Amino acid sequence: MKQIFLVLLLFAIQQATIAQKADPCNHVLKGTILDIDTKAALPYAVVKVKGTKHITQTDINGRFQIKNLCDEVNTLIISCFGYCDTTCQQFHKNIQRPKIYLKQQVKTLNTVTITAGKDKEQGTASISQQTITKEALTNIPTQTLASAISEVEGVTFTSTGNNVQLPVIHGLYGNRVLTLNNGLKHGFQNWGTDHAPEIDVATAHSITVVKGAAGVRFGPEALGGAIVVEADPLYLNEPLKSRIGTGYQTNGQGYFANYEIGQGLKNWSYHLGANYTRIGDLQTPDYSLTNTGKEEISVNGGLRYHLTNWDFKVYYSYVNQDLALLRSSIANSGTSFVRAINADEPVIIQPFSYDINEPSQLTQHHLGRVEINWRYADDAKLTLRVGSQINQREEYDVRRNADIPIIDLDLVTNDYQLEWKHPDWSGLDGLVGLQVFTQNNDNNPGTQTTPFIPNYNTLRFSGFIIESLKKGKNTFELGLRIDQESNNVRGREVNQNLFRDEYSFTNLTASLGYIRQISESTTFRTNLATAWRTPNMAELFSFGQHGFKTSFGLLRYYANDEGQLRTDRVIALRESNVSPEKGYKWINEWQTQTKTNTYTFTAYANYIENFIYDRPLAVIGTIRGPMPVFIYDQANALFMGADWTWEKRWSQSLTGTFGVSYLWSANIDKNEALINQPPITTSYKLLWKTKGFWKVQSSQFSIKPSYTFKQFQAPRTVRPDELIDGSVVITPDSEIFDFRDAPEGFFLLDIAWRFKVKQFGASFSVQNVFNTRYRNYLNDMRYFADEPGRNFLFTINYMFNAKSATK
Amino acid sequence: MKTVDYFKKYSIYALLLVGVLFIGCTKDDDDPAPENELEVITDVKLIFTNTNDANDVVTARAQDPDGPGVQELAILDTINLGVGKTYTLTYEIFNNLETPGENIGDEIKDEDDEHQFFFSFSNNAFANPTGNGNIDTASDPINYNDNDGTNPVGLSTTWTTSTTQLTNGTFTVRLQHQPGVKTATSGATDGDTDFNLPFVLNIR
């Protein structure tokens, strides 16, 4: 029995018809079958009338007609290759030719599926993007969001250890990449590389990476791109499905368990899921990475109620993370920093443990969302989305009062979004939206240190319009957005004097896109977009020690009359020369799909005015000894690069995917390198699907060698001891430098085998097969320790009631 | 169809209500509470008092005026001791970012089982203790005058200078914070450094 994931899209006509009293078998049904996303007619779709022998096919225009029906109300079963089967109940005879929309079947290949045909968010269709499906995500349930999507070409991750990983899209990360968590901007303490979004990938249904400036659609922080995380879509008419899974990984002796249950009824649908993960200290080939474990609990649930024209969805998720950071990264004195940075092995190595000690981050994230869709016409829809998020973060550091959090913040985020997908306006297909976004950050008292981040309130009003026009083989896309953001900030100086600041910005962003179907097999898409972003609170106001760094925000330092750097007062934003970031990204994608080959080439240029970055400034003498100091700085920066993927189907069962990413970036004011930019990466993934054997119904084997080059664009190296003994003198105008050389390139090999036996699914994978010793340039911990060594990962899951929805 | 109509009506009101409720939320603009910084030291004064003459006092100061800020640590004085004399070394340790200044020395005394002073100096600058101090090797001799009950602290130490003159020598004082780490054998690299001050030492 073919397993079909049934997607039900019911746009049946509900208008009452007057019963005709005549020959009972003279009813006629007419309709048009269209693709839900492209609105293209679907020819040769099979239309059956349930319970009768009537069957027909749509014509070239997607139309069909069935005569001599005995019942006035009928159920249609429509199937079309590549699309989900759709059942239309209560299909009435109608005066007009009703339109029926089919949704493309999400391919359930057991790999990262590049679903080129997946519905793209409106306003981003001309931007290169890729989606990762649940199947691929469940492969490695213990990984972070960032590492899950780093399989996408042009996407890497930057990290502070193995628990805090942030996605990097074309060289940009942090608050230049917006994480859209179920339609809401994930509201968390998003500073630099120190914090990762609190999202449990095991609960995501799909993750889409948008590689261009998607600010018009998603808001100011999508300057570098967006990551769209979607929960279970809550399909209707789905049989009861529940799955339990567990697994074990050798590195860190990690284990996890998850459970999910979901069902779609005629009008109702629900989904519930829970996940628990625990990992202890990870291990490099040579030593244990003391204090690198994590513990994570997540729960999520969704409920949907569907009426003919109305659709209601409620969603809630909760994530609780306790993340340890490498103990050796904290040098509480300058001398030990120098020792730690020059050591081949971390200074502190202890036997394996699950304990999470300082430094660590404890976060809880609640997300609640209500979405109401009113489809008041066939091609028009009104959506209201209201969301509320509470993010509580406590960070513990190695210090005198280690049991008291050094950072203790509550961040409340509220979103109100009203979107109107308007009806066809002489060929224009579009979306108009109004958004209100508020954020309220509060320091909880009792940290016994000057708050690293001030208290603040942000209020933003936004309006956007996105229109697309399809003319033959051309599609044009235009977007405009206006944002008005105001901020109110209250913080403490080091002498505990209060400082306040109030500032607001208004900005217009625009996006222009074009898609051309050059031939049957080749598509070209190009997108030019502007984007802007206000400097975030950490970039402006951070002060003091956080992790191994002592950082000063843009408003926290100034040069006095003698040109010496001072940090004794806070500058008001309007008196400073700090400006918001403005980005201009031009991204082009060519895609050619032949019978066995798919080539995708993406090239881009991104110019960012007032690009904000933090860089090592000096090693400053303090009472405790010399300490490394980082400052935030602004410069105009240019990023250019290309991603290329080549997918080849060698045979029915063997597919290979080659990928390479290249990025060039520079500070063009000073004509010098930027720091922490992704190096060139390349990989080849071979996927072999075997036929069933013995009791195994299906199995697939994958092998993925990859090579990451040394970052040859890294800044020069100035060692901390050279700064301490004064042989190198650094001023704020000196050329950028780093404390350590960029690590050497490295080769990794990953293999995985997945198989299915009846209702059981299992996988076995090995990461870093050769136990390679390496450091990753994009990991802040590269100063102190190697990356984890070989890891064996086993997973097993069992599907209850795995009855397929058959029609 | 009636239920649908009802639902439509109801939903619109619900939408409006939800919108108004949320947007109507009042802005809270609390200030962060002032925090009592426990870790900051801005001023350290070394006080050498001649054991035979209470009026013969040599002081040397180190200052980091902005605490965690970027301003460099300044060693303000050199230590000028007399030849062949015996001194008791004590301290004044303050956080002067607060007004009035906070006496950190008292806190160290309260937490003496978590603290220890370590020293390094030019070899044989002193007749007693001999050698170059205990920063490199914790068991090297230092004349501690106090203890936490079991182990030395160093808020008071005794020094007898060498009979030969010394010019431009070094004298480094390091205070280690060693909660749960301090033992009879713990050294200058155990725990975290509260201060580490390299002074110039002259004996003449």
Side-chain angles (χ1 to χ4, degrees):
Chain A
M1 275 202 288
K2 207 170 68 172
Q3 191 169 345
I4 294 157
F5 292 92
L6 190 81
V7 178
L8 189 71
L9 291 154
L10 251 183
F11 305 122
I13 311 304
Q14 281 275 0
Q15 285 148 9
T17 44
I18 302 147
Q20 293 178 332
K21 285 195 177 164
D23 179 0
C25 290
N26 68 349
H27 294 287
V28 180
L29 266 180
K30 287 180 190 176
T32 309
I33 312 275
L34 303 170
D35 183 304
I36 180 88
D37 302 315
T38 63
K39 308 286 182 308
L42 291 176
Y44 313 119
V46 177
V47 182
K48 278 191 270 189
V49 181
K50 196 177 174 185
T52 72
K53 285 181 181 169
H54 291 283
I55 185 163
T56 186
Q57 263 193 341
T58 54
D59 66 7
I60 193 87
N61 296 316
R63 296 174 181 202
F64 69 91
Q65 185 173 22
I66 301 170
K67 290 180 185 172
N68 303 328
L69 289 166
C70 301
D71 292 325
E72 191 192 332
V73 177
N74 296 283
T75 298
L76 298 184
I77 299 165
I78 302 149
S79 49
C80 183
F81 183 72
Y83 289 84
C84 303
D85 280 16
T86 296
T87 312
C88 283
Q89 279 156 341
Q90 295 188 313
F91 199 88
H92 297 252
K93 183 178 105 169
N94 202 284
I95 310 142
Q96 284 183 333
R97 184 179 283 273
K99 289 172 182 153
I100 299 164
Y101 295 92
L102 291 197
K103 186 163 181 160
Q104 290 208 357
Q105 190 162 14
V106 179
K107 289 174 203 161
T108 51
L109 296 177
N110 296 330
T111 170
V112 174
T113 312
I114 299 160
T115 48
K118 190 193 175 284
D119 37 336
K120 292 187 167 187
E121 287 272 359
Q122 233 159 345
T124 64
S126 58
I127 308 175
S128 169
Q129 54 187 280
Q130 291 182 21
T131 299
I132 301 167
T133 61
K134 188 169 181 73
E135 284 278 317
L137 293 172
T138 48
N139 256 350
I140 308 173
T142 52
Q143 68 189 339
T144 65
L145 171 74
S147 75
I149 62 170
S150 64
E151 293 224 15
V152 175
E153 232 46 61
V155 180
T156 48
F157 58 82
T158 181
S159 52
T160 303
N162 294 89
N163 293 330
V164 178
Q165 299 182 324
L166 290 113
V168 182
I169 301 178
H170 292 159
L172 299 179
Y173 58 85
N175 35 51
R176 293 180 196 96
V177 172
L178 184 131
T179 309
L180 206 69
N181 187 353
N182 292 295
L184 307 174
K185 173 188 150 177
H186 187 73
F188 73 115
Q189 304 286 354
N190 190 2
W191 330 324
T193 59
D194 304 325
H195 306 144
E198 298 84 358
I199 293 175
D200 182 0
V201 282
T203 64
H205 180 78
S206 72
I207 302 174
T208 302
V209 180
V210 182
K211 295 200 264 184
V216 170
R217 177 70 181 82
F218 299 130
E221 288 192 355
L223 187 141
I227 289 154
V228 183
V229 181
E230 271 163 310
D232 190 276
L234 298 169
Y235 294 137
L236 298 172
N237 288 359
E238 283 252 299
L240 179 71
K241 208 172 51 176
S242 82
R243 194 179 62 85
I244 187 161
T246 184
Y248 179 78
Q249 74 173 46
T250 55
N251 200 336
Q253 305 180 22
Y255 52 87
F256 69 91
N258 53 45
Y259 177 71
E260 63 174 346
I261 183 166
Q263 189 177 15
L265 304 168
K266 194 178 153 203
N267 295 104
W268 286 93
S269 172
Y270 68 87
H271 181 265
L272 285 171
N275 188 35
Y276 176 79
T277 306
R278 184 159 200 200
I279 303 174
D281 292 342
L282 298 172
Q283 184 86 24
T284 72
D286 303 305
Y287 47 82
S288 176
L289 293 164
T290 297
N291 205 43
T292 51
K294 76 164 177 182
E295 190 170 13
E296 187 173 85
I297 301 163
S298 74
V299 192
N300 68 90
L303 189 66
R304 175 182 178 188
Y305 182 62
H306 181 83
L307 288 168
T308 316
N309 298 324
W310 288 85
D311 196 69
F312 303 86
K313 277 184 187 173
V314 181
Y315 178 80
Y316 170 78
S317 78
Y318 168 72
V319 178
N320 183 328
Q321 290 181 324
D322 195 358
L323 310 176
L325 294 173
L326 183 70
R327 174 61 186 84
S328 290
S329 69
I330 302 298
N332 225 358
S333 74
T335 13
S336 49
F337 173 72
V338 175
R339 207 172 52 185
I341 216 164
N342 290 333
D344 284 336
E345 290 194 354
V347 178
I348 299 164
I349 298 174
Q350 279 160 11
F352 172 85
S353 157
Y354 283 110
D355 294 349
I356 295 168
N357 294 314
E358 311 80 37
S360 66
Q361 305 181 350
L362 183 65
T363 52
Q364 299 189 18
H365 192 93
H366 301 262
L367 181 145
R369 187 199 62 167
V370 178
E371 186 179 296
I372 301 167
N373 282 289
W374 179 28
R375 194 177 283 271
Y376 66 89
D378 265 2
D379 54 354
K381 190 169 77 163
L382 208 55
T383 304
L384 176 80
R385 209 174 286 125
V386 178
S388 199
Q389 295 174 75
I390 301 169
N391 184 292
Q392 291 169 305
R393 168 174 288 270
E394 287 179 5
E395 292 190 22
Y396 296 85
D397 231 332
V398 179
R399 60 170 187 155
R400 185 166 298 174
N401 304 298
D403 55 326
I404 299 174
I406 193 162
I407 286 175
D408 189 351
L409 298 169
D410 287 351
L411 178 68
V412 180
T413 309
N414 288 312
D415 278 271
Y416 317 92
Q417 303 174 355
L418 187 65
E419 285 169 11
W420 176 41
K421 191 187 167 315
H422 67 66
D424 197 21
W425 291 343
S426 49
L428 278 180
D429 185 13
L431 189 69
V432 182
L434 288 173
Q435 298 179 345
V436 181
F437 171 84
T438 72
Q439 236 171 7
N440 178 9
N441 183 61
D442 283 315
N443 277 280
N444 293 317
T447 60
Q448 301 192 341
T449 191
T450 307
F452 189 77
I453 292 289
N455 286 6
Y456 61 84
N457 291 81
T458 300
L459 176 64
R460 186 160 68 215
F461 295 97
S462 317
F464 70 87
I465 177 163
I466 293 161
E467 294 295 336
S468 73
L469 180 67
K470 198 168 176 183
K471 276 241 171 340
K473 289 177 172 173
N474 304 309
T475 306
F476 302 90
E477 203 174 44
L478 172 74
L480 279 174
R481 181 186 181 100
I482 187 156
D483 292 282
Q484 205 277 335
E485 182 184 300
S486 51
N487 289 283
N488 180 310
V489 180
R490 292 93 49 199
R492 293 270 168 191
E493 294 183 36
V494 71
N495 55 14
Q496 302 309 312
N497 287 347
L498 196 68
F499 70 87
R500 287 167 175 276
D501 202 351
E502 212 157 331
Y503 53 89
S504 54
F505 296 104
T506 304
N507 201 71
L508 190 73
T509 44
S511 159
L512 193 62
Y514 171 63
I515 306 168
R516 164 117 189 142
Q517 191 79 38
I518 294 170
S519 69
E520 195 87 319
S521 58
T522 305
T523 315
F524 170 68
R525 35 174 60 103
T526 182
N527 179 283
L528 180 67
T530 67
W532 78 296
R533 184 179 72 87
T534 51
N536 84 343
M537 295 299 156
E539 289 162 347
L540 291 174
F541 296 105
S542 60
F543 182 87
Q545 200 187 345
H546 183 233
F548 72 94
K549 293 174 173 177
T550 298
S551 324
F552 297 101
L554 288 161
L555 300 177
R556 262 354 237 282
Y557 69 89
Y558 64 97
N560 67 6
D561 297 340
E562 285 94 57
Q564 292 160 319
L565 216 57
R566 286 292 176 267
T567 50
D568 55 350
R569 63 183 172 90
V570 183
I571 323 287
L573 188 99
R574 64 188 162 278
E575 289 161 22
S576 72
N577 48 14
V578 175
S579 314
E581 267 182 9
K582 283 191 178 175
Y584 306 88
K585 186 165 183 175
W586 185 33
I587 181 163
N588 301 289
E589 184 185 82
W590 289 264
Q591 193 173 54
T592 301
Q593 215 162 354
T594 65
K595 209 171 171 192
T596 56
N597 289 295
T598 306
Y599 306 94
T600 311
F601 180 72
T602 310
Y604 57 91
N606 194 358
Y607 173 70
I608 301 180
E609 231 174 83
N610 310 315
F611 178 73
I612 302 168
Y613 60 105
D614 77 329
R615 62 179 176 102
L617 172 75
V619 175
I620 298 280
T622 74
I623 278 268
R624 288 165 158 182
M627 294 288 274
V629 170
F630 289 67
I631 54 165
Y632 283 94
D633 210 347
Q634 280 194 303
N636 296 331
L638 182 63
F639 303 78
M640 291 201 287
D643 310 326
W644 188 59
T645 53
W646 167 47
E647 191 182 308
K648 164 99 180 162
R649 272 192 21 231
W650 297 100
S651 75
Q652 283 291 50
S653 56
L654 194 66
T655 309
T657 312
F658 172 78
V660 60
S661 292
Y662 169 76
L663 166 71
W664 175 91
S665 62
N667 170 347
I668 54 172
D669 288 344
K670 287 184 170 177
N671 195 21
E672 64 181 25
L674 293 169
I675 193 168
N676 295 341
Q677 290 290 305
I680 303 172
T681 54
T682 178
S683 68
Y684 194 80
K685 183 169 180 175
L686 207 57
L687 193 74
W688 178 47
K689 285 188 190 172
T690 66
K691 292 198 179 106
F693 59 92
W694 187 53
K695 283 181 175 165
V696 174
Q697 278 136 7
S698 67
S699 117
Q700 69 166 34
F701 185 79
S702 74
I703 180 160
K704 186 187 175 194
S706 65
Y707 189 80
T708 303
F709 288 80
K710 181 177 175 165
Q711 176 53 283
F712 59 89
Q713 276 197 304
R716 68 187 169 132
T717 305
V718 177
R719 296 203 337 231
D721 24 330
E722 292 175 304
L723 292 162
I724 293 165
D725 67 23
S727 57
V728 180
V729 177
I730 298 288
T731 68
D733 296 324
S734 301
E735 187 192 331
I736 192 168
F737 70 93
D738 201 351
F739 291 121
R740 208 174 157 137
D741 290 345
E744 295 300 319
F746 54 89
F747 174 82
L748 293 178
L749 183 72
D750 297 343
I751 54 175
W753 182 47
R754 293 165 61 89
F755 59 91
K756 248 184 177 159
V757 182
K758 289 184 180 163
Q759 274 146 275
F760 282 100
S763 75
F764 170 65
S765 51
V766 190
Q767 293 151 314
N768 192 359
V769 171
F770 298 122
N771 210 14
T772 307
R773 207 174 269 116
Y774 69 103
R775 293 191 183 198
N776 184 349
Y777 180 62
L778 293 180
N779 187 347
D780 261 358
M781 294 299 122
R782 71 177 184 274
Y783 294 125
F784 311 105
D786 290 346
E787 295 286 323
R790 189 187 298 130
N791 181 30
F792 295 92
L793 177 77
F794 309 86
T795 73
I796 184 161
N797 57 67
Y798 181 80
M799 190 83 133
F800 298 94
N801 315 322
K803 278 185 235 149
S804 38
T806 46
K807 292 285 169 205
Chain B
M1 295 303 109
K2 258 198 173 140
T3 49
V4 176
D5 285 342
Y6 173 74
F7 219 106
K8 270 184 199 174
K9 223 184 223 170
Y10 169 77
S11 319
I12 284 169
Y13 289 132
L15 290 195
L16 286 174
L17 192 69
V18 167
V20 168
L21 273 183
F22 273 92
I23 294 173
C25 278
T26 46
K27 215 159 85 172
D28 103 273
D29 51 356
D30 297 339
D31 298 326
E35 294 288 345
N36 178 24
E37 283 266 10
L38 286 182
E39 309 235 329
V40 177
I41 297 171
T42 59
D43 292 83
V44 177
K45 191 198 254 181
L46 273 55
I47 305 163
F48 289 89
T49 311
N50 191 331
T51 47
N52 297 323
D53 178 4
N55 293 324
D56 178 9
V57 177
V58 177
T59 61
R61 292 165 301 147
Q63 192 179 48
D64 188 4
D66 63 350
V70 289
Q71 230 165 305
E72 287 278 354
L73 165 79
I75 305 280
L76 297 174
D77 307 303
T78 51
I79 302 170
N80 295 310
L81 301 179
V83 173
K85 289 181 179 171
T86 300
Y87 296 93
T88 304
L89 171 60
T90 54
Y91 306 89
E92 279 178 12
I93 304 165
F94 275 90
N95 171 11
N96 283 326
L97 285 174
E98 294 188 6
T99 15
E102 189 189 4
N103 190 338
I104 307 289
D106 291 347
E107 280 181 26
I108 295 167
K109 203 174 228 165
D110 291 343
E111 298 173 358
D112 59 2
D113 57 338
E114 296 181 357
H115 287 91
Q116 189 174 350
F117 288 81
F118 296 88
F119 305 87
S120 85
F121 39 83
S122 302
N123 203 23
N124 294 328
F126 297 96
N128 186 14
T130 53
N132 66 352
N134 64 351
I135 284 184
D136 55 349
T137 311
S139 56
D140 283 357
I142 294 290
N143 300 315
Y144 290 99
N145 298 332
D146 54 358
N147 62 59
D148 59 15
T150 8
N151 299 311
V153 181
L155 281 164
S156 171
T157 43
T158 301
W159 306 82
T160 306
T161 52
S162 150
T163 47
T164 51
Q165 294 201 345
L166 174 73
T167 310
N168 273 333
T170 62
F171 186 85
T172 299
V173 191
R174 183 186 291 185
L175 173 62
Q176 287 294 110
H177 183 220
Q178 306 177 317
V181 183
K182 187 175 173 183
T183 62
T185 54
S186 56
T189 52
D190 295 314
D192 304 310
T193 305
D194 276 344
F195 64 68
N196 184 53
L197 305 169
F199 287 90
V200 173
L201 173 67
N202 295 315
I203 298 173
R204 50 197 154 204

